[in-house]
Amino acid sequence: MEKALEFYKKQRRKILMFKYLDFVVSWDMETDAAENSIMADSEQVAVMSEMSYQLVTDPDFEQAVAVLYSNRDRLDSVMRHEIEVTYKNISDTKKIPQDEYTAYSELTSKAYPVYVKAKTENNFELFRPYLEKIVDFCRKQTKWLATDDLQGYDVLLDMYEPHYNQAKYDKFFDALRTRLVPFVKQATAKPYVAPKWAVQPFEEDKQKEFCEYLRDVMCFDKSRGIMKLSEHPFTSGFGTDDVRITNHYYANKFDSSVFSAIHETGHALYEQQCDKALNGTLSYGGASLGLHESQSRFYENVIGRSRAFWTVHYPKLQQTFARQLKGVSLDEFLKHINNVQRSFVRTEADELTYPLHVMLRYEIEKKVISGELEVKDLPKYWNEKFTEYFGITPKSDTEGVLQDVHWAYGNFGYFPTYALGSAIASQLYHYMSKDFNVEQSLQSGTTAQVNEWLKEHVHKYGSSKYPDEILRLATGEDFNPDYYIDYLIDKYSK
Amino acid sequence: MEKALEFYKKQRRKILMFKYLDFVVSWDMETDAAENSIMADSEQVAVMSEMSYQLVTDPDFEQAVAVLYSNRDRLDSVMRHEIEVTYKNISDTKKIPQDEYTAYSELTSKAYPVYVKAKTENNFELFRPYLEKIVDFCRKQTKWLATDDLQGYDVLLDMYEPHYNQAKYDKFFDALRTRLVPFVKQATAKPYVAPKWAVQPFEEDKQKEFCEYLRDVMCFDKSRGIMKLSEHPFTSGFGTDDVRITNHYYANKFDSSVFSAIHETGHALYEQQCDKALNGTLSYGGASLGLHESQSRFYENVIGRSRAFWTVHYPKLQQTFARQLKGVSLDEFLKHINNVQRSFVRTEADELTYPLHVMLRYEIEKKVISGELEVKDLPKYWNEKFTEYFGITPKSDTEGVLQDVHWAYGNFGYFPTYALGSAIASQLYHYMSKDFNVEQSLQSGTTAQVNEWLKEHVHKYGSSKYPDEILRLATGEDFNPDYYIDYLIDKYSK
């Protein structure tokens, strides 16, 4: 076992190095590499993937992990969790026939440009044959990876959010369907029209300046990561000491960059506040997609759209955009940043309607994976269900079933984590509020006390535990969607 | 041999991948990574170096290279050259005792911060013990790597510029000493005072805009590489399709960014104009430091400081800086960008005095490596020689013997390539001018014809030949310093 541990750690150093390189190369491609450079460099990225794959599938490594797994009771809790996860990953990988996997990788890389074309040209039929093959693979995947505890769609859900299955999600989305759908219909009956001051040009350099101010308000340690420009905002990094975000500035939509900055800094704080001792292990960074999203949504919505937050920071925004915000009261500003409206596109949806978009995808994925719904029937089914939930009908597949890229990558089971994140944020908020007055703490001018609570109850664990375990430690109960629905109905009734 | 070639190519793919990764990681660290992230990520860089070193020193690889080397007459010319160079690198590496090499790597990594402190505090004694050990290693290195053709300082010179030895450099620097030193003393007798218009603030964003214009003038393909901000300008890339430069903008020194842009784009064109067929081999990119510097200096000085160039582009500069350049004539502008003066620091020297700075270092390195001069006597010797050549005496070691970092890295033999570059640029200019009227070609508004000539005579070869061979192919003769000295005396006599 000593020898296995030594070999494991030696190999882990290299695996970590490739994770770091993968981060730097992706960062570079998203932000600096020129269009034709990206194409030329793809050969190097392919070699990198091959070498990195060889490390993880190295029989000696597999052997070492197997030895450690058999002796996992003798490992400390962090290492035990890491070995359990690694052991599962290796055995899952082995369950997928090599030739099927290779064919599938080729399929998804070919599917992506076709998807883009299909979306641009509003032509679902173009994408259909690819999606059918992808769905076929995903259905087979649920069989290959099935265990006593996991079958069908649960297999896929567990890949993106460990220990979250249909039983849990059904409870969540059933509650949404019953309580939120009627409420939303009522709340969005009257279309929202943005006031004139909100759609005039806001200088992009000043937007950036204000977003840098927000990073300070959120106590992000800038000596460990920059904010940069990219097409779509994202967070990326390696360990606690290199965590970066990007942003995008639209002259006529100043609130887009402001809330992206808060959202991404939320993700970044999670990474930056992990226990430093996890650096150098595979347990650094966030525990899951859903838990990660809960942090970004917590800062963006619970904190960032609150009166308490803007009471302190609106004067600074008003000072930055003196011309545009002259005479715009705090009330008017708050009303605008919390507006709700019916819309077709998930990524542009507001806080209240957002989870319904995700619910729709969940229901559809469930039926597709079980075989109840076929790919050819997707556009029709999408539009029917959309109309049922939102009271409006997409005028094209582009703003309907084709709007999101995830299925082109084969990411069935991913979507639910988006809504889960918001719901977990509310559950955390409920318990945080028992420990201290969140709104009052913001009067200090920073989110320091919020950060400290989240660090202590969520961030510090990194990915050294499963997300459901962390939630139980933080709140003393399992995932409970009621806090979220209560929060939304309470907030948007006012 | 077939098997050896196959293995060689397989291993080369990985070696190339690490070269690409090294480029991206360095680029990231120089431009995006935050201060504390760089420290944290250094562990990953160390693992990367280890893995990359293992590839090159892999006994199977060594064996494959040896087989190919024995059969090199059966290889095509590009592969033959690559194998010759690789074979030499491997055998040179093996000649250095492993323990000495490890100790030396540690020494230089410790020496760097001490050097920085010594320079900041003007305290040579602090750095002295480190430099003594570095010199000791370099002297031993000349013994370990000695061959029938290469002994002493020649061993080190050849590492930075293959086939250039003391016999060649002596001829070069003797000519400089005899012809240029007296000329420079005369030309710089009267101190230069910059006119008021040149030292007022020039907006940094407009400087950048003009530098982007210059990249277009030089026909750099921007779809294959960006220009970005960094502390010191540099060029970096991988293959022909990812070539990037950086720049730095000083409000009160607008000409700094302008000439850096031209200089770095010169380097970048060399990389971008290599034969695309060399991508995927180890023969991509420039052939040597000196030849690379000849390209950047060619564009910066021969083209970029010429009347012909600015006759076309000064109106654009004047338009960009309408306020600052109002009423400044082309003559006044040309006078300013071609001013000459005595100065202490190499990196700030003008075109005329620059090579004398390099000459001084060459003479000193020669004596240090031969053992004629000891480290403890360096500051005194430096100041005496500097006074002899420039007629002024450094007031501190900071602006004297401590000004450059190279020796802290153990880079003895590197400096001469800087002056060689300028001299080769003049030799190329001489022969280019026989083929077409360079000045007249610039009237087209771009450097297209110049680029084409350099591509055909220099760039296309990449590093598939030795630099002296390329120079002979381009000009029909060996390196000849007379063109350079004639050019300088002719230009600065006017």
Side-chain angles (χ1 to χ4, degrees), chain B residues 262-310:
Chain B
I262 301 175
H263 181 98
E264 300 306 333
T265 305
H267 279 304
L269 282 171
Y270 187 0
E271 300 278 321
Q272 202 168 61
Q273 295 204 127
C274 285
D275 184 352
K276 269 185 187 292
L278 298 174
N279 289 334
T281 74
L282 296 178
S283 302
Y284 72 90
S288 68
L289 291 168
L291 209 57
H292 232 305
E293 197 68 10
S294 79
Q295 301 308 294
S296 54
R297 299 271 169 186
F298 186 91
Y299 283 100
E300 180 193 345
N301 292 329
V302 179
I303 302 294
R305 295 186 196 273
S306 71
R307 176 175 293 272
F309 185 80
W310 288 107

Side-chain angles (χ1 to χ4, degrees), chain A residues 93-250:
Chain A
T93 306
K94 283 176 68 184
K95 285 178 191 163
I96 300 171
Q98 185 63 43
D99 54 335
E100 295 260 14
Y101 184 78
T102 309
Y104 179 65
S105 298
E106 279 171 31
L107 170 67
T108 49
S109 71
K110 278 185 198 148
Y112 175 72
V114 178
Y115 159 75
V116 172
K117 197 167 189 287
K119 182 179 172 182
T120 311
E121 299 174 2
N122 186 35
N123 183 350
F124 181 80
E125 279 306 302
L126 200 65
F127 182 49
R128 189 179 53 78
Y130 291 87
L131 188 56
E132 279 170 347
K133 282 183 195 148
I134 289 169
V135 164
D136 188 47
F137 180 87
C138 291
R139 284 174 182 164
K140 281 193 263 180
Q141 206 176 16
T142 64
K143 300 218 166 65
W144 294 323
L145 302 182
T147 63
D148 289 347
D149 300 327
L150 290 174
Q151 282 112 33
Y153 188 34
D154 282 354
V155 169
L156 305 179
L157 290 170
D158 191 81
M159 280 167 55
Y160 296 98
E161 196 71 17
H163 301 178
Y164 281 78
N165 53 23
Q166 291 172 88
K168 279 189 188 178
Y169 280 123
D170 279 348
K171 206 181 135 203
F172 176 29
F173 289 116
D174 285 350
L176 277 182
R177 200 178 307 102
T178 321
R179 296 182 60 198
L180 211 60
V181 169
F183 179 76
V184 164
K185 276 203 182 134
Q186 199 180 355
T188 59
K190 221 176 103 190
Y192 177 78
V193 181
K196 271 193 186 148
W197 61 263
V199 291
Q200 63 186 313
F202 285 64
E203 298 85 344
E204 296 181 24
D205 56 339
K206 285 192 187 172
Q207 287 188 39
K208 181 166 192 289
E209 182 194 316
F210 187 74
C211 291
E212 284 291 358
Y213 164 80
L214 288 173
R215 292 215 299 157
D216 287 330
V217 165
M218 291 171 73
C219 308
F220 183 85
D221 177 355
K222 291 180 177 175
S223 79
R224 295 188 275 149
I226 63 167
M227 176 172 72
K228 196 175 170 185
L229 188 75
S230 74
E231 192 52 38
H232 301 286
F234 67 88
T235 302
S236 175
F238 181 75
T240 58
D241 295 330
D242 198 342
V243 188
R244 313 172 185 184
I245 68 168
T246 68
N247 209 342
H248 199 99
Y249 308 94
Y250 301 95

Side-chain angles (χ1 to χ4, degrees), chain B residues 14-211:
Chain B
K14 295 180 186 173
I15 293 170
L16 282 166
M17 177 203 73
F18 276 111
K19 283 180 185 282
Y20 163 73
L21 292 172
D22 189 50
F23 142 62
V24 176
V25 168
S26 307
W27 173 263
D28 184 75
M29 293 208 164
E30 296 278 351
T31 61
D32 276 0
E35 192 188 343
N36 292 338
S37 304
I38 293 174
M39 280 171 50
D41 294 338
S42 64
E43 155 74 1
Q44 311 312 320
V45 176
V47 180
M48 185 166 78
S49 303
E50 278 172 39
M51 282 191 77
S52 155
Y53 182 80
Q54 277 163 15
L55 280 177
V56 185
T57 54
D58 174 356
D60 291 340
F61 182 65
E62 195 189 317
Q63 171 74 27
V65 171
V67 170
L68 294 171
Y69 186 74
S70 319
N71 293 282
R72 62 189 180 280
D73 292 340
R74 291 162 57 198
L75 298 169
D76 68 60
S77 67
V78 170
M79 188 55 117
R80 184 164 60 238
H81 181 76
E82 183 172 313
I83 290 296
E84 276 170 16
V85 171
T86 307
Y87 183 77
K88 184 179 186 308
N89 287 345
I90 292 176
S91 45
D92 279 358
T93 306
K94 282 176 69 187
K95 285 179 190 163
I96 299 171
Q98 185 63 43
D99 54 335
E100 295 259 13
Y101 183 78
T102 308
Y104 179 66
S105 298
E106 279 172 30
L107 171 67
T108 49
S109 72
K110 278 183 198 151
Y112 174 72
V114 178
Y115 159 75
V116 172
K117 197 168 190 282
K119 181 179 172 180
T120 310
E121 299 175 0
N122 186 35
N123 183 352
F124 181 79
E125 279 306 301
L126 200 65
F127 181 48
R128 188 179 53 78
Y130 291 86
L131 188 55
E132 280 171 347
K133 281 182 196 149
I134 288 168
V135 164
D136 188 48
F137 180 88
C138 291
R139 285 174 181 163
K140 280 193 266 181
Q141 207 176 14
T142 64
K143 300 220 166 64
W144 293 322
L145 303 182
T147 63
D148 289 348
D149 300 329
L150 289 174
Q151 283 111 31
Y153 189 33
D154 282 355
V155 169
L156 305 180
L157 290 170
D158 192 81
M159 280 166 56
Y160 296 98
E161 195 71 18
H163 302 178
Y164 281 78
N165 53 21
Q166 291 172 86
K168 279 190 188 177
Y169 279 123
D170 278 349
K171 204 182 135 201
F172 176 27
F173 289 116
D174 286 350
L176 278 182
R177 200 178 306 103
T178 320
R179 295 182 61 198
L180 211 60
V181 169
F183 179 76
V184 164
K185 277 204 180 134
Q186 200 181 354
T188 59
K190 222 176 102 189
Y192 178 79
V193 182
K196 271 193 186 146
W197 62 262
V199 291
Q200 64 186 312
F202 284 65
E203 298 85 344
E204 297 181 23
D205 55 338
K206 286 193 186 169
Q207 287 188 40
K208 180 165 192 289
E209 182 195 316
F210 187 74
C211 290

